[in-house]
Amino acid sequence: RSRFLPVKKTSDLLLVMSNLYTLDHGSLMMSPKRMFPSTPLVKLGENNFKNVSAFLSRFGSIPDLLELDHITVSGDVTFGRGVSLRGTVIIIANHGDRIDIPAGAILENKIVSGNLRILDH
């Protein structure tokens, strides 16, 4: 998979844009900082992450995925800058609710559900 990484869905795009990969002479290589040779399982909700512009609008910056095993995101979820995702992370915003993951947050083996808004004052 180092020579050619197909990007068919935004979940693939998240992996390719993350710090999991480095560009080496035109080839994407798995970061040597990743402890596991496999890529994380990424499931992004179809409604809010389906197209590239909607996907990009949900990230202040692409999260740190070096220690991620699995992420599932569903519903109206946004990520602040400098977020780190580790282990298994499940984030589910129910219909009509919104979850904002704050800048600098570290989520390790967490389930986040319901409604979480953090507003600047």
Side-chain angles (χ1 to χ4, degrees):
R1 284 181 63 110
S2 65
R3 191 174 72 79
F4 178 68
L5 287 168
V7 176
K8 296 179 181 176
K9 295 184 172 187
T10 54
S11 56
D12 301 324
L13 184 60
L14 178 63
L15 292 172
V16 170
M17 290 180 70
S18 77
N19 59 346
L20 281 175
Y21 292 99
T22 57
L23 198 56
D24 182 30
H25 296 44
S27 293
L28 282 173
M29 304 296 289
M30 180 76 71
S31 171
K33 295 177 183 174
R34 180 152 170 91
M35 293 184 287
F36 322 105
S38 61
T39 57
L41 177 61
V42 176
K43 296 180 182 178
L44 300 176
E46 289 292 319
N47 293 338
N48 295 293
F49 291 88
K50 188 171 179 97
N51 65 48
V52 173
S53 61
F55 165 84
L56 292 173
S57 73
R58 298 197 166 273
F59 295 95
S61 65
I62 299 298
D64 172 355
L65 305 182
L66 282 176
E67 297 179 45
L68 182 69
D69 295 324
H70 171 179
I71 184 163
T72 297
V73 180
S74 179
D76 188 1
V77 178
T78 61
F79 295 83
R81 298 187 65 77
V83 171
S84 182
L85 304 172
R86 302 173 183 169
T88 298
V89 177
I90 299 169
I91 306 169
I92 299 174
N94 297 322
H95 181 74
D97 289 341
R98 176 172 165 171
I99 296 176
D100 294 330
I101 304 301
I106 298 172
L107 299 180
E108 184 170 359
N109 297 320
K110 299 289 185 208
I111 297 173
V112 181
S113 65
N115 194 14
L116 175 65
R117 299 293 307 269
I118 296 177
L119 305 173
D120 291 331
H121 64 287

